[in-house]
Amino acid sequence: MKTILTFGVYDMLHIGHVLLFKHAKELFPNEECRLVVAVQNSENVLKYKPEAKMVYSTDERIFMVSSICYVDHVITYDDVDVDIKNVAFDVFAKGPDQNHVGFQRAEEWCRQNGKQVVVIPRTEGISSTLLREYRKL
């Protein structure tokens, strides 16, 4: 069984996130796969983005993500490049916009440790930023 790991904040959970989970889970159609989703702790989100206005607490986001049928297990994380080393997995699945230095270091760690990195394409027409703009209307 392959274990696929993905990281994110998931504060403004939307169809793009659900499709990320679906596509990650379907990466190996002929094998049984387990999807682990790491949800970033709110305190760390605010540490890196103090201007962020979080809608949901860490526990609420864990509850929502764990309710999605494609997700097998949810964990929390503080820093992707540190916490990726503490999870047993085979494949690191990420979105194309997840490219800040922490994700770059996590990808490098994966390459050095025999983990596959897969970029799941974005869902066009939806993003957390777009949802925040709708909330302002």
Side-chain angles (χ1 to χ4, degrees), residues 45-96:
V45 173
L46 295 172
K47 177 174 132 181
Y48 294 111
K49 295 181 181 177
E51 74 287 351
K53 293 182 173 86
M54 299 294 293
V55 176
Y56 297 104
S57 70
T58 303
D59 288 340
E60 289 169 327
R61 290 180 288 119
I62 290 169
F63 174 74
M64 290 187 297
V65 169
S66 67
S67 299
I68 297 169
C69 66
Y70 306 108
V71 176
D72 296 300
H73 187 65
V74 179
I75 60 174
T76 59
Y77 78 99
D78 293 317
D79 297 297
V80 63
D81 55 327
V82 174
D83 295 319
I84 197 167
K85 301 170 186 174
N86 301 319
V87 182
F89 70 98
D90 304 292
V91 179
F92 175 36
K94 63 182 237 39

Side-chain angles (χ1 to χ4, degrees), residues 26-46:
E26 295 172 342
L27 284 172
F28 304 94
N30 298 323
E31 293 185 52
E32 194 172 339
C33 292
R34 178 174 176 257
L35 178 61
V36 177
V37 177
V39 172
Q40 191 170 33
N41 284 312
S42 295
E43 296 79 28
N44 269 56
V45 173
L46 295 172

Side-chain angles (χ1 to χ4, degrees), residues 1-5 28 31-34 87-93 110 113-118:
M1 175 187 304
K2 292 225 187 256
T3 298
I4 301 158
L5 175 63
F28 304 94
E31 293 185 52
E32 194 172 339
C33 292
R34 178 174 176 257
V87 182
F89 70 98
D90 304 292
V91 179
F92 175 36
C110 287
N113 289 276
K115 308 295 184 184
Q116 185 177 354
V117 177
V118 176

